[in-house]
Each structure stands twice: as structure tokens, then as C-alpha cells.
Amino acid sequence: MKIGFIGLGNMAKAMIGGMLSKEIASKEDIIGSAKTQTTLTDIEAKYGIETTLDNSRVAQQADILILAVKPQFFSEVIPGIREKVKEDALIISIAAGRTIADIESLFGREIKLVRCMPNTPALVGAGCTGVCRNEKVSEEDMTKCMELMESFGIAQEVPERLMDAVSGVSGCSPAYVFMFLEALADGAVEAGMQRKQAYTFAAQAVMGSARLMLETGKHPGELKDMVTSPAGTTIEGVRVLEEKGFRGAVIDAVKASVEKNKNM
């Protein structure tokens, strides 16, 4: 089985690294294309896969073809490869905002298509990916796709109508979390801690909190209550966050991201 990547940016690199580390594919099983020789040289050195500047060459060889270019380039890239793609190839898109109907229209023929929305923590094997498919994708095809997506984190199938929500809650949210981490560290620096140490404390606290929720299955409100002792320091901080509209700001940010994704 040959896996082809058109586009070799950060997300493609995360996927390739996951596949190789989990031994889902060998380097001989993967081929990728990019716009510059510099990118190809870097990818070859890091992963040892076959690379090319020719998208058509990837399309011709791939049994699973992963479209890893930015959504605005689909209208340029797909017309150049659609006649080269194998009839029974499984096509996977990781572009935000490009619906199944959009992509099918660009191919102009029946295709097996899965739409995925991974996020940047995939770069460290901790991604979260939403997945949906068209009616041509079999259970066997979907199993292969999910195996690939789970090589760099968790993946769950959702109806396509929820893909914009996936983008808002997991695709965009790492940026919000990084802003939160930076603010936490700023608070610690103001209290006298060295910045490098402040980042370590803040990041570990956030990572540990997320892991605690996932592994215990407890509601986040219940876990919050476990930390907030009567008349203690934590409840005082919670009071300030509520006073400043913390929850409302986060909800509005997700809502704005979802609306932007719908209109791309």
C-alpha cells in the first residue's frame, strides 16, 4: 500500500512521523510532494521517504492520497491531479473549511473521500482529529484511515455538520491554550518566578489537568470543585476569572472560529 502526500507542511510531517514511529507504514511506503526543493531535502533527511516536485507522480502511485495543502490551493492543485488519481484510491483531505461536496466537485467524478481535521499537537503525538466520510468509503477504508489518524493522537468519527465545531474546539484551541499558558506564566513572573520555570510549571499544570479529566472521566466542574477549598486561594482566582468574563470570552472565541470555518 502506497501512501501519498501532496503538501509536506507541519501537519503532513506530524502524520508521517506518527506512521513511521507506530510502524503503520515504512519509509518505502510513503511518497510526498512539495513546491520547493528545500522542503523535499529536509523531509528526505528527516524521514527518508521518496519525494518529488511533481504532484501527478504522487497521485499516480498513491493507494491512499492525503491532500495536505492549504484550502485556498485546492482549486489549483486538484485539477492538476484528478486525472492521475487511481480509480479506487482513498482520498483524505486535512483542509479546514473544504466540505466533502466542494472536494467532490473539484474532482468531477465519484471518489472515496474522507475529510479530517487534525490539530497541531499531532506534532508531538498528542493530536485530536475529527473525521467524516462520503458514502463511497467502506468500513475497511475507514479502518485504514482511522489507523493512520490514531498514529499521532486520538481520532473520532463525527457527522460532517459537526466538522466546523471540531475546528473550533480542537483545531483552533491550541492557540487559545498557548495564550492561557503565557498569561499564567506572566502571573508567576509578576510573583517573582523566573520565566523559564514559570512556563514549565504552567505547561505541566495544564497538561496534567487535561490528563486527569480524560483518565478519570470526571466532569470538569467536579474536578474544579476538588481544587477549590472553602475561603481558599483557588476560589478567589475563580471569582476573578468569572468577574472578567473568562468563560464567555472562550465561548465567543470558539463561536467566532466556527463561523469563520463555515465561511472559508
Side-chain angles (χ1 to χ4, degrees):
M1 179 180 68
K2 198 76 168 180
I3 302 170
F5 285 83
I6 294 181
L8 291 170
N10 284 334
M11 200 57 67
K13 288 189 282 188
M15 296 173 75
I16 293 167
M19 292 173 195
L20 295 177
S21 66
K22 294 289 181 66
E23 298 184 347
I24 290 170
S26 68
K27 62 184 180 181
E28 291 79 17
D29 296 325
I30 303 173
I31 181 172
S33 62
K35 293 179 72 173
T36 70
Q37 186 58 51
T38 300
T39 299
L40 300 187
T41 301
D42 289 345
I43 293 291
E44 287 173 4
K46 187 168 185 177
Y47 300 110
I49 68 167
E50 181 182 355
T51 64
T52 176
L53 293 168
D54 184 2
N55 291 340
S56 294
R57 184 173 157 196
V58 176
Q60 285 175 320
Q61 293 189 38
D63 300 299
I64 297 178
L65 179 63
I66 299 170
L67 302 176
V69 296
K70 294 186 183 299
Q72 59 265 36
F73 297 132
F74 270 43
S75 298
E76 172 189 338
V77 169
I78 292 176
I81 63 167
R82 60 189 172 196
E83 302 302 325
K84 308 293 184 180
V85 176
K86 292 180 180 181
E87 195 66 30
D88 62 344
L90 176 62
I91 299 168
I92 298 174
S93 165
I94 63 169
R98 283 289 190 173
T99 66
I100 286 173
D102 289 339
I103 300 167
E104 289 175 332
S105 177
L106 287 169
F107 273 92
R109 63 177 174 86
E110 290 189 347
I111 55 172
K112 296 193 294 185
L113 177 63
V114 179
R115 183 182 167 199
C116 299
M117 188 69 244
N119 63 0
T120 54
L123 290 165
V124 292
C128 182
T129 304
V131 184
C132 63
R133 54 175 153 167
N134 71 2
E135 68 280 359
K136 300 297 179 184
V137 176
S138 68
E139 291 301 323
E140 182 181 359
D141 292 326
M142 198 62 177
T143 298
K144 290 178 184 176
C145 176
M146 296 300 277
E147 185 180 31
L148 297 180
M149 296 303 120
E150 289 170 353
S151 71
F152 51 86
I154 68 167
Q156 293 189 2
E157 188 172 3
V158 299
E160 188 176 23
R161 63 182 174 80
L162 293 180
M163 287 298 278
D164 294 322
V166 169
S167 177
V169 74
S170 66
C172 302
S173 63
Y176 314 151
V177 174
F178 295 138
M179 291 174 70
F180 178 58
L181 284 170
E182 192 172 30
L184 281 176
D186 283 346
V189 170
E190 186 179 31
M193 185 178 286
Q194 292 296 314
R195 181 161 294 278
K196 183 177 180 181
Q197 190 174 46
Y199 283 141
T200 299
F201 272 80
Q204 182 65 31
V206 170
M207 181 179 71
S209 300
R211 183 175 172 184
L212 182 63
M213 190 185 85
L214 289 172
E215 293 190 6
T216 64
K218 291 182 182 292
H219 188 282
E222 182 182 357
L223 293 169
K224 180 207 74 177
D225 289 349
M226 288 168 58
V227 188
T228 50
S229 303
T233 56
T234 304
I235 193 63
E236 184 65 15
V238 168
R239 181 192 65 77
V240 172
L241 288 175
E242 294 287 16
E243 186 178 84
K244 301 293 184 182
F246 177 73
R247 291 197 224 203
V250 173
I251 291 168
D252 286 348
V254 173
K255 182 179 178 181
S257 296
V258 169
E259 289 304 314
K260 178 69 173 181
N261 203 64
K262 286 179 179 177
N263 296 317
M264 286 182 71

